[in-house]
Amino acid sequence: MLTSQLIEPLLSPGTYPRAVADAVRATSPLAVQIANRWMLGWPKTVKALLAAGTYLPALKAQEKQERDVLSSSQVTHLARHELMEEYGLRAGPPAP
């Protein structure tokens, strides 16, 4: 799952409402990685999800899907993003 023992900090924490930022930080390192990926690649969509109040459920659903794929896959020769693509998971957040 994580490729190092270092835990990533949440990027652009000021973009999130404080309660959402705290909730993301309290989740797993995988969820923080997903949140950071979404913020870097799709900041407008992240802001729309935050405005709609659907960000945390979307993040938790994505984390569960990625965790399930990573823990159950027998494929070890693919990079993580290739594995997600192989299982049909999007890298970006869902549309609000």
Coordinates of all heavy atoms in Angstrom, one line a residue:
M1 N 0.8 -1.2 0.0 CA 0.0 0.0 0.0 C 0.9 1.2 0.0 O 1.0 1.8 -1.0 CB -0.9 0.0 1.2 CG -1.9 -1.2 1.1 SD -3.4 -1.0 1.8 CE -3.4 -2.4 2.8
L2 N 1.4 1.6 1.1 CA 2.4 2.7 1.1 C 3.7 2.2 0.8 O 4.1 1.1 1.1 CB 2.4 3.3 2.5 CG 1.2 4.2 2.9 CD1 1.4 4.6 4.4 CD2 1.1 5.4 2.0
T3 N 4.5 3.0 0.1 CA 5.8 2.5 -0.4 C 6.9 2.9 0.6 O 8.0 2.6 0.4 CB 6.1 3.1 -1.8 OG1 6.0 4.5 -1.7 CG2 5.1 2.5 -2.8
S4 N 6.5 3.7 1.6 CA 7.5 4.1 2.6 C 6.8 4.1 4.0 O 5.6 4.0 4.1 CB 8.2 5.4 2.3 OG 7.3 6.5 2.6
Q5 N 7.6 4.3 5.0 CA 7.1 4.4 6.4 C 6.7 5.9 6.7 O 6.1 6.1 7.7 CB 8.1 3.9 7.4 CG 8.5 2.5 7.2 CD 7.3 1.6 7.4 OE1 6.4 1.9 8.2 NE2 7.4 0.4 6.8
L6 N 6.9 6.8 5.8 CA 6.6 8.2 6.0 C 5.1 8.4 5.8 O 4.6 7.9 4.8 CB 7.4 9.1 5.1 CG 8.9 9.0 5.3 CD1 9.6 9.9 4.3 CD2 9.3 9.4 6.7
I7 N 4.5 9.2 6.6 CA 3.1 9.6 6.4 C 3.1 10.9 5.8 O 3.7 11.9 6.2 CB 2.4 9.6 7.8 CG1 2.3 8.2 8.4 CG2 0.9 10.1 7.6 CD1 1.7 8.1 9.7
E8 N 2.3 11.0 4.7 CA 2.3 12.3 3.9 C 1.4 13.3 4.7 O 0.4 12.9 5.3 CB 1.6 12.0 2.6 CG 2.3 11.2 1.6 CD 1.6 11.1 0.3 OE1 0.8 12.0 -0.1 OE2 1.8 10.0 -0.4
P9 N 1.8 14.5 4.7 CA 0.9 15.6 5.2 C -0.2 15.8 4.3 O -0.1 15.6 3.1 CB 1.8 16.8 5.4 CG 2.9 16.6 4.4 CD 3.1 15.1 4.2
L10 N -1.3 16.3 4.7 CA -2.4 16.7 3.9 C -2.1 18.0 3.1 O -1.7 19.0 3.8 CB -3.7 16.9 4.8 CG -5.0 17.3 4.0 CD1 -5.4 16.1 3.1 CD2 -6.1 17.6 5.0
L11 N -2.2 17.9 1.8 CA -1.8 19.1 1.0 C -3.0 20.1 1.0 O -4.1 19.7 1.0 CB -1.6 18.7 -0.4 CG -0.4 17.7 -0.7 CD1 -0.3 17.3 -2.1 CD2 0.9 18.3 -0.2
S12 N -2.6 21.4 1.0 CA -3.6 22.5 1.0 C -4.7 22.3 2.0 O -5.9 22.4 1.8 CB -4.3 22.6 -0.4 OG -3.3 22.7 -1.4
P13 N -4.3 22.2 3.3 CA -5.3 21.9 4.3 C -6.3 23.1 4.5 O -7.4 22.9 4.9 CB -4.5 21.7 5.6 CG -3.2 22.4 5.3 CD -2.9 22.2 3.8
G14 N -5.9 24.3 4.1 CA -6.7 25.4 4.2 C -7.9 25.4 3.3 O -8.9 26.1 3.4
T15 N -7.8 24.6 2.3 CA -8.9 24.4 1.3 C -10.1 23.7 1.9 O -11.2 23.9 1.5 CB -8.4 23.6 0.0 OG1 -7.3 24.3 -0.5 CG2 -9.5 23.5 -1.0
Y16 N -9.8 22.9 2.9 CA -10.9 22.0 3.5 C -11.5 22.8 4.7 O -10.8 23.5 5.4 CB -10.3 20.7 4.0 CG -9.6 19.9 3.0 CD1 -8.3 20.0 2.7 CD2 -10.3 18.9 2.3 CE1 -7.6 19.2 1.8 CE2 -9.7 18.1 1.3 CZ -8.4 18.3 1.1 OH -7.7 17.5 0.2
P17 N -12.8 22.6 4.9 CA -13.3 23.0 6.2 C -12.5 22.3 7.3 O -12.1 21.1 7.1 CB -14.8 22.6 6.2 CG -15.1 22.4 4.8 CD -13.8 22.0 4.1
R18 N -12.3 22.9 8.4 CA -11.5 22.4 9.5 C -11.9 20.9 9.9 O -11.1 20.1 10.1 CB -11.5 23.3 10.7 CG -10.5 22.8 11.8 CD -10.4 23.7 12.9 NE -9.5 23.2 13.9 CZ -8.2 23.7 14.0 NH1 -7.8 24.7 13.2 NH2 -7.4 23.2 14.9
A19 N -13.2 20.7 10.0 CA -13.7 19.4 10.4 C -13.4 18.3 9.4 O -13.0 17.2 9.8 CB -15.2 19.4 10.7
V20 N -13.4 18.7 8.1 CA -13.1 17.7 7.1 C -11.6 17.5 7.1 O -11.2 16.3 7.0 CB -13.6 18.3 5.7 CG1 -13.1 17.4 4.6 CG2 -15.1 18.4 5.7
A21 N -10.8 18.5 7.2 CA -9.3 18.3 7.2 C -8.9 17.4 8.4 O -8.1 16.5 8.3 CB -8.6 19.6 7.3
D22 N -9.5 17.7 9.6 CA -9.3 16.8 10.7 C -9.7 15.4 10.5 O -9.0 14.5 10.9 CB -10.0 17.4 12.0 CG -9.3 18.7 12.5 OD1 -8.2 19.0 12.0 OD2 -10.0 19.4 13.2
A23 N -10.8 15.2 9.9 CA -11.3 13.8 9.6 C -10.4 13.1 8.6 O -10.2 11.9 8.8 CB -12.8 13.9 9.1
V24 N -9.9 13.8 7.6 CA -9.0 13.2 6.7 C -7.7 12.8 7.4 O -7.2 11.7 7.2 CB -8.8 14.1 5.5 CG1 -7.7 13.5 4.6 CG2 -10.0 14.3 4.7
R25 N -7.2 13.7 8.2 CA -5.9 13.4 8.9 C -6.1 12.2 9.8 O -5.2 11.5 10.1 CB -5.5 14.6 9.7 CG -4.9 15.7 8.8 CD -4.3 16.8 9.7 NE -4.0 18.0 9.0 CZ -4.7 19.1 9.0 NH1 -5.7 19.2 9.8 NH2 -4.4 20.2 8.3
A26 N -7.3 12.0 10.4 CA -7.6 10.9 11.3 C -7.8 9.6 10.7 O -7.8 8.6 11.3 CB -8.8 11.3 12.2
T27 N -7.9 9.6 9.3 CA -8.0 8.3 8.6 C -6.7 7.7 8.4 O -5.7 8.1 8.9 CB -8.8 8.5 7.3 OG1 -8.0 9.4 6.5 CG2 -10.2 9.1 7.5
S28 N -6.7 6.7 7.5 CA -5.4 6.0 7.2 C -4.5 6.8 6.3 O -4.9 7.7 5.6 CB -5.8 4.7 6.5 OG -6.3 5.0 5.2
P29 N -3.2 6.4 6.2 CA -2.3 7.1 5.3 C -2.8 6.9 3.8 O -2.5 7.8 3.0 CB -1.0 6.3 5.6 CG -1.1 5.9 7.0 CD -2.5 5.5 7.2
L30 N -3.4 5.8 3.5 CA -3.9 5.6 2.2 C -5.0 6.7 1.8 O -4.9 7.2 0.7 CB -4.5 4.2 2.0 CG -5.1 3.9 0.6 CD1 -4.1 4.0 -0.5 CD2 -5.7 2.5 0.6
A31 N -5.8 7.0 2.8 CA -6.9 8.0 2.5 C -6.2 9.4 2.3 O -6.7 10.1 1.5 CB -7.9 8.0 3.6
V32 N -5.2 9.7 3.1 CA -4.5 10.9 2.9 C -3.8 11.0 1.5 O -3.9 12.0 0.8 CB -3.5 11.2 4.0 CG1 -2.6 12.4 3.8 CG2 -4.2 11.3 5.4
Q33 N -3.3 9.9 1.1 CA -2.7 9.8 -0.3 C -3.7 10.1 -1.3 O -3.5 10.8 -2.3 CB -2.0 8.5 -0.5 CG -0.7 8.3 0.2 CD 0.0 7.0 -0.2 OE1 -0.7 6.1 -0.8 NE2 1.2 6.9 0.0
I34 N -4.9 9.5 -1.2 CA -6.0 9.7 -2.1 C -6.4 11.1 -2.1 O -6.6 11.8 -3.2 CB -7.1 8.7 -1.9 CG1 -6.7 7.3 -2.1 CG2 -8.3 9.1 -2.7 CD1 -7.7 6.3 -1.5
A35 N -6.6 11.7 -0.9 CA -7.0 13.1 -0.8 C -6.0 14.0 -1.5 O -6.3 15.0 -2.2 CB -7.2 13.5 0.7
N36 N -4.7 13.8 -1.3 CA -3.6 14.6 -1.9 C -3.7 14.4 -3.4 O -3.5 15.4 -4.2 CB -2.3 14.2 -1.3 CG -2.1 14.7 0.1 OD1 -2.8 15.5 0.6 ND2 -1.1 14.1 0.8
R37 N -3.9 13.2 -3.9 CA -3.9 13.0 -5.4 C -5.1 13.7 -6.0 O -5.0 14.4 -7.0 CB -4.1 11.4 -5.6 CG -4.1 11.1 -7.1 CD -4.2 9.6 -7.3 NE -5.5 9.1 -6.9 CZ -5.8 7.9 -6.2 NH1 -4.7 7.2 -5.9 NH2 -7.0 7.6 -6.0
W38 N -6.2 13.7 -5.3 CA -7.4 14.4 -5.8 C -7.2 15.9 -5.8 O -7.5 16.6 -6.7 CB -8.6 14.1 -4.9 CG -9.2 12.7 -5.1 CD1 -8.8 11.7 -6.0 CD2 -10.4 12.2 -4.5 NE1 -9.6 10.6 -5.9 CE2 -10.6 10.9 -5.0 CE3 -11.3 12.7 -3.6 CZ2 -11.6 10.1 -4.6 CZ3 -12.3 11.9 -3.1 CH2 -12.5 10.6 -3.6
M39 N -6.6 16.4 -4.7 CA -6.3 17.8 -4.6 C -5.3 18.3 -5.7 O -5.5 19.4 -6.3 CB -5.8 18.2 -3.3 CG -5.6 19.7 -3.1 SD -7.1 20.7 -3.3 CE -8.0 20.4 -1.8
L40 N -4.3 17.5 -6.0 CA -3.3 17.9 -7.0 C -3.9 17.8 -8.4 O -3.6 18.7 -9.3 CB -2.1 17.0 -6.9 CG -1.2 17.2 -5.8 CD1 -0.1 16.2 -5.7 CD2 -0.5 18.6 -5.9
G41 N -4.7 16.8 -8.7 CA -5.2 16.6 -10.0 C -6.5 17.2 -10.4 O -6.8 17.5 -11.5
W42 N -7.4 17.3 -9.4 CA -8.8 17.7 -9.6 C -9.3 18.7 -8.5 O -10.3 18.5 -7.9 CB -9.7 16.5 -9.6 CG -9.4 15.5 -10.7 CD1 -9.8 15.5 -12.0 CD2 -8.4 14.4 -10.6 NE1 -9.3 14.5 -12.7 CE2 -8.4 13.8 -11.8 CE3 -7.6 13.9 -9.6 CZ2 -7.6 12.7 -12.1 CZ3 -6.8 12.8 -9.8 CH2 -6.8 12.2 -11.1
P43 N -8.6 19.8 -8.3 CA -8.9 20.8 -7.2 C -10.3 21.3 -7.4 O -11.0 21.5 -6.4 CB -7.9 21.8 -7.3 CG -7.3 21.8 -8.7 CD -7.4 20.3 -9.1
K44 N -10.8 21.6 -8.6 CA -12.2 22.1 -8.7 C -13.2 21.1 -8.3 O -14.2 21.4 -7.7 CB -12.4 22.6 -10.2 CG -11.6 23.8 -10.6 CD -11.9 24.2 -12.0 CE -11.0 25.4 -12.4 NZ -11.2 25.8 -13.8
T45 N -13.0 19.8 -8.7 CA -13.9 18.8 -8.3 C -13.9 18.6 -6.8 O -15.0 18.4 -6.2 CB -13.6 17.5 -9.0 OG1 -13.5 17.7 -10.4 CG2 -14.6 16.4 -8.7
V46 N -12.7 18.6 -6.2 CA -12.7 18.5 -4.7 C -13.5 19.7 -4.1 O -14.3 19.4 -3.1 CB -11.2 18.6 -4.3 CG1 -11.1 18.8 -2.7 CG2 -10.5 17.3 -4.7
K47 N -13.3 20.9 -4.6 CA -14.0 22.0 -4.0 C -15.5 21.8 -4.2 O -16.3 22.1 -3.3 CB -13.6 23.3 -4.6 CG -12.2 23.7 -4.1 CD -11.6 24.9 -4.8 CE -10.2 25.1 -4.4 NZ -9.5 26.1 -5.2
A48 N -16.0 21.3 -5.3 CA -17.4 21.1 -5.6 C -17.9 20.0 -4.6 O -19.0 20.1 -4.1 CB -17.6 20.7 -7.0
L49 N -17.1 18.9 -4.4 CA -17.6 17.9 -3.5 C -17.7 18.4 -2.0 O -18.6 18.1 -1.3 CB -16.6 16.7 -3.5 CG -16.6 15.8 -4.8 CD1 -15.4 14.9 -4.8 CD2 -17.9 15.0 -4.8
L50 N -16.7 19.3 -1.7 CA -16.8 19.9 -0.3 C -18.0 20.8 -0.2 O -18.7 20.7 0.8 CB -15.5 20.7 -0.1 CG -14.2 19.9 0.1 CD1 -13.0 20.8 0.1 CD2 -14.2 19.2 1.5
A51 N -18.3 21.5 -1.2 CA -19.5 22.4 -1.2 C -20.8 21.6 -1.1 O -21.7 22.0 -0.5 CB -19.5 23.3 -2.4
A52 N -20.8 20.5 -1.8 CA -22.0 19.6 -1.8 C -22.1 18.8 -0.5 O -23.1 18.1 -0.3 CB -22.0 18.7 -3.0
G53 N -21.0 18.7 0.3 CA -21.0 17.9 1.5 C -20.8 16.4 1.3 O -21.2 15.6 2.1
T54 N -20.3 16.1 0.1 CA -20.2 14.6 -0.3 C -18.7 14.2 -0.3 O -18.4 13.1 -0.8 CB -20.8 14.4 -1.6 OG1 -20.3 15.2 -2.6 CG2 -22.4 14.6 -1.5
Y55 N -17.8 15.1 0.1 CA -16.4 14.7 0.0 C -16.0 13.5 0.8 O -15.3 12.6 0.3 CB -15.5 16.0 0.3 CG -14.0 15.7 0.2 CD1 -13.4 15.8 -1.0 CD2 -13.3 15.3 1.3 CE1 -12.0 15.5 -1.1 CE2 -11.9 15.0 1.2 CZ -11.3 15.1 0.0 OH -10.0 14.9 -0.1
L56 N -16.3 13.6 2.1 CA -15.8 12.5 3.0 C -16.4 11.1 2.6 O -15.7 10.1 2.5 CB -16.1 12.8 4.4 CG -15.2 13.8 5.1 CD1 -15.6 14.1 6.5 CD2 -13.7 13.3 5.1
P57 N -17.7 11.0 2.3 CA -18.2 9.7 1.8 C -17.5 9.2 0.5 O -17.2 8.0 0.4 CB -19.7 10.0 1.6 CG -20.0 11.1 2.5 CD -18.8 12.0 2.5
A58 N -17.2 10.2 -0.4 CA -16.5 9.8 -1.6 C -15.1 9.3 -1.3 O -14.7 8.3 -1.9 CB -16.5 11.0 -2.6
L59 N -14.4 10.0 -0.4 CA -13.1 9.6 -0.1 C -13.1 8.3 0.6 O -12.2 7.4 0.3 CB -12.4 10.7 0.8 CG -11.0 10.4 1.3 CD1 -10.1 10.4 0.1 CD2 -10.6 11.4 2.3
K60 N -14.0 8.0 1.5 CA -14.0 6.7 2.2 C -14.4 5.6 1.3 O -13.8 4.5 1.4 CB -15.0 6.8 3.3 CG -14.6 7.7 4.5 CD -15.6 7.8 5.6 CE -15.1 8.7 6.7 NZ -16.1 8.9 7.7
A61 N -15.2 5.9 0.3 CA -15.6 4.8 -0.7 C -14.4 4.5 -1.6 O -14.1 3.3 -1.8 CB -16.8 5.3 -1.5
Q62 N -13.7 5.5 -2.0 CA -12.5 5.3 -2.8 C -11.4 4.5 -2.0 O -10.8 3.6 -2.6 CB -11.9 6.6 -3.3 CG -10.7 6.5 -4.2 CD -11.1 6.1 -5.6 OE1 -12.2 6.2 -6.0 NE2 -10.1 5.6 -6.4
E63 N -11.2 4.9 -0.8 CA -10.2 4.2 0.0 C -10.6 2.7 0.2 O -9.7 1.9 0.0 CB -10.1 4.9 1.4 CG -9.1 4.1 2.3 CD -9.2 4.4 3.8 OE1 -10.3 5.0 4.2 OE2 -8.3 4.1 4.5
K64 N -11.8 2.4 0.4 CA -12.2 1.1 0.6 C -12.0 0.3 -0.7 O -11.5 -0.8 -0.7 CB -13.7 1.0 1.0 CG -14.2 -0.5 1.2 CD -15.6 -0.6 1.5 CE -16.1 -2.0 1.8 NZ -15.4 -3.1 1.1
Q65 N -12.4 0.9 -1.8 CA -12.1 0.2 -3.1 C -10.7 -0.1 -3.4 O -10.3 -1.2 -3.8 CB -12.7 1.0 -4.3 CG -14.2 1.1 -4.3 CD -14.8 2.0 -5.4 OE1 -14.1 2.9 -5.8 NE2 -15.9 1.7 -5.8
E66 N -9.8 0.9 -3.2 CA -8.4 0.8 -3.4 C -7.8 -0.2 -2.4 O -7.0 -1.1 -2.8 CB -7.7 2.1 -3.3 CG -8.0 3.0 -4.5 CD -7.1 4.2 -4.6 OE1 -6.0 4.2 -4.0 OE2 -7.5 5.2 -5.3
R67 N -8.2 -0.2 -1.2 CA -7.7 -1.1 -0.2 C -8.1 -2.6 -0.5 O -7.3 -3.5 -0.4 CB -8.2 -0.8 1.2 CG -7.6 -1.6 2.3 CD -8.0 -1.0 3.7 NE -7.6 0.3 3.9 CZ -6.3 0.8 4.1 NH1 -5.3 -0.1 4.2 NH2 -6.1 2.1 4.4
D68 N -9.3 -2.7 -1.0 CA -9.8 -4.1 -1.4 C -9.0 -4.6 -2.5 O -8.6 -5.8 -2.5 CB -11.3 -4.1 -1.7 CG -12.2 -3.9 -0.6 OD1 -11.7 -4.0 0.6 OD2 -13.4 -3.6 -0.8
V69 N -8.7 -3.8 -3.5 CA -7.9 -4.2 -4.7 C -6.5 -4.5 -4.3 O -5.9 -5.6 -4.7 CB -7.9 -3.1 -5.8 CG1 -6.9 -3.4 -6.9 CG2 -9.3 -3.0 -6.4
L70 N -5.9 -3.6 -3.5 CA -4.5 -3.8 -3.1 C -4.3 -5.1 -2.2 O -3.3 -5.8 -2.3 CB -4.0 -2.6 -2.4 CG -3.8 -1.4 -3.2 CD1 -3.5 -0.1 -2.4 CD2 -2.7 -1.6 -4.2
S71 N -5.3 -5.4 -1.4 CA -5.2 -6.5 -0.5 C -5.5 -7.8 -1.1 O -5.1 -8.9 -0.7 CB -6.0 -6.3 0.8 OG -7.4 -6.3 0.5
S72 N -6.4 -7.8 -2.2 CA -6.8 -9.1 -2.7 C -6.1 -9.4 -4.0 O -6.2 -10.6 -4.5 CB -8.3 -9.0 -3.0 OG -8.6 -8.1 -4.0
S73 N -5.4 -8.5 -4.6 CA -4.8 -8.8 -5.9 C -3.6 -9.7 -5.8 O -2.7 -9.5 -4.9 CB -4.3 -7.5 -6.6 OG -3.7 -7.8 -7.8
Q74 N -3.5 -10.7 -6.7 CA -2.3 -11.5 -6.7 C -1.3 -11.0 -7.7 O -0.2 -11.6 -7.8 CB -2.8 -12.9 -7.1 CG -3.8 -13.6 -6.2 CD -3.2 -13.8 -4.8 OE1 -2.1 -14.2 -4.6 NE2 -4.0 -13.4 -3.8
V75 N -1.6 -9.9 -8.4 CA -0.7 -9.4 -9.4 C 0.3 -8.5 -8.7 O 0.0 -7.6 -8.0 CB -1.5 -8.5 -10.4 CG1 -0.6 -7.9 -11.4 CG2 -2.6 -9.3 -11.1
T76 N 1.6 -8.8 -8.8 CA 2.6 -8.1 -8.2 C 3.6 -7.3 -9.1 O 4.4 -6.6 -8.7 CB 3.5 -9.0 -7.3 OG1 4.1 -10.0 -8.2 CG2 2.7 -9.7 -6.2
H77 N 3.4 -7.5 -10.4 CA 4.3 -6.9 -11.4 C 3.8 -5.6 -11.9 O 4.5 -4.9 -12.6 CB 4.6 -7.8 -12.5 CG 3.4 -8.1 -13.4 ND1 2.4 -9.0 -13.0 CD2 3.0 -7.5 -14.6 CE1 1.4 -9.0 -14.0 NE2 1.8 -8.1 -14.9
L78 N 2.6 -5.1 -11.5 CA 2.1 -3.9 -11.9 C 2.3 -2.8 -10.9 O 2.3 -3.0 -9.7 CB 0.6 -4.0 -12.2 CG 0.2 -4.9 -13.3 CD1 -1.4 -5.0 -13.4 CD2 0.8 -4.5 -14.7
A79 N 2.5 -1.6 -11.4 CA 2.5 -0.4 -10.5 C 1.1 -0.2 -9.9 O 0.1 -0.7 -10.4 CB 3.0 0.8 -11.2
R80 N 1.1 0.5 -8.8 CA -0.2 0.7 -8.1 C -1.3 1.3 -9.0 O -2.4 0.9 -9.1 CB 0.0 1.5 -6.8 CG -1.2 1.6 -6.0 CD -0.8 2.1 -4.6 NE -1.6 3.3 -4.3 CZ -1.4 4.0 -3.2 NH1 -0.4 3.7 -2.4 NH2 -2.1 5.0 -3.0
H81 N -0.9 2.4 -9.7 CA -1.8 3.0 -10.6 C -2.3 2.1 -11.8 O -3.4 2.1 -12.2 CB -1.3 4.3 -11.2 CG -0.2 4.2 -12.2 ND1 1.1 4.0 -11.8 CD2 -0.2 4.2 -13.5 CE1 1.9 3.9 -12.9 NE2 1.1 4.0 -13.9
E82 N -1.4 1.2 -12.2 CA -1.8 0.3 -13.3 C -2.7 -0.8 -12.7 O -3.7 -1.2 -13.4 CB -0.5 -0.4 -13.8 CG 0.4 0.5 -14.6 CD 1.7 -0.2 -14.9 OE1 2.3 -1.0 -14.1 OE2 2.2 0.0 -16.0
L83 N -2.5 -1.2 -11.5 CA -3.4 -2.1 -10.8 C -4.8 -1.5 -10.7 O -5.8 -2.2 -11.0 CB -2.8 -2.5 -9.5 CG -3.5 -3.7 -8.7 CD1 -3.5 -4.9 -9.6 CD2 -2.8 -3.9 -7.4
M84 N -4.9 -0.3 -10.3 CA -6.2 0.4 -10.1 C -6.9 0.5 -11.4 O -8.1 0.2 -11.5 CB -6.0 1.8 -9.5 CG -5.4 1.8 -8.1 SD -6.4 0.9 -6.9 CE -5.1 0.1 -6.0
E85 N -6.2 0.8 -12.5 CA -6.7 0.9 -13.8 C -7.2 -0.5 -14.3 O -8.3 -0.6 -14.9 CB -5.7 1.5 -14.8 CG -6.3 1.8 -16.1 CD -5.3 2.4 -17.1 OE1 -4.6 3.4 -16.6 OE2 -5.1 1.9 -18.2
E86 N -6.5 -1.5 -14.0 CA -6.8 -2.9 -14.4 C -8.2 -3.3 -13.7 O -8.9 -4.0 -14.4 CB -5.7 -3.8 -14.0 CG -5.9 -5.2 -14.4 CD -5.7 -5.5 -15.9 OE1 -4.9 -4.7 -16.5 OE2 -6.2 -6.4 -16.4
Y87 N -8.4 -2.8 -12.5 CA -9.6 -3.1 -11.8 C -10.7 -2.1 -12.1 O -11.8 -2.2 -11.4 CB -9.4 -3.3 -10.3 CG -8.8 -4.6 -10.0 CD1 -7.4 -4.9 -10.1 CD2 -9.6 -5.7 -9.6 CE1 -6.9 -6.1 -9.8 CE2 -9.1 -6.9 -9.3 CZ -7.7 -7.1 -9.4 OH -7.2 -8.4 -9.1
G88 N -10.5 -1.1 -12.9 CA -11.5 -0.2 -13.3 C -11.7 1.0 -12.3 O -12.8 1.6 -12.4
L89 N -10.8 1.2 -11.5 CA -10.9 2.3 -10.5 C -10.3 3.6 -11.1 O -9.2 3.6 -11.7 CB -10.2 2.0 -9.2 CG -10.7 0.8 -8.4 CD1 -9.9 0.6 -7.1 CD2 -12.2 1.1 -8.0
R90 N -11.0 4.7 -10.9 CA -10.6 6.0 -11.4 C -9.6 6.5 -10.4 O -9.7 6.3 -9.2 CB -11.7 6.9 -11.5 CG -12.7 6.7 -12.7 CD -13.8 7.8 -12.6 NE -13.4 9.0 -12.0 CZ -13.1 10.1 -12.7 NH1 -13.1 10.1 -14.0 NH2 -12.8 11.2 -12.1
A91 N -8.6 7.3 -10.9 CA -7.7 8.0 -10.1 C -8.3 9.2 -9.4 O -7.9 9.6 -8.3 CB -6.4 8.4 -10.8
G92 N -9.2 9.8 -10.2 CA -9.8 11.1 -9.7 C -11.1 10.9 -8.9 O -11.6 9.8 -8.8
P93 N -11.5 12.0 -8.3 CA -12.8 11.9 -7.5 C -14.0 11.8 -8.4 O -13.9 12.1 -9.6 CB -12.8 13.2 -6.8 CG -12.0 14.2 -7.7 CD -11.0 13.3 -8.3
P94 N -15.1 11.3 -7.8 CA -16.3 11.3 -8.6 C -16.9 12.7 -8.9 O -16.5 13.6 -8.1 CB -17.3 10.5 -7.7 CG -16.8 10.8 -6.3 CD -15.3 10.9 -6.4
A95 N -17.7 12.8 -9.9 CA -18.3 14.1 -10.2 C -19.3 14.4 -9.1 O -20.0 13.5 -8.6 CB -19.0 14.0 -11.5
P96 N -19.3 15.7 -8.6 CA -20.3 16.0 -7.6 C -21.7 15.9 -8.0 O -22.1 15.9 -9.1 CB -19.9 17.4 -7.2 CG -19.1 17.9 -8.3 CD -18.6 16.8 -9.1

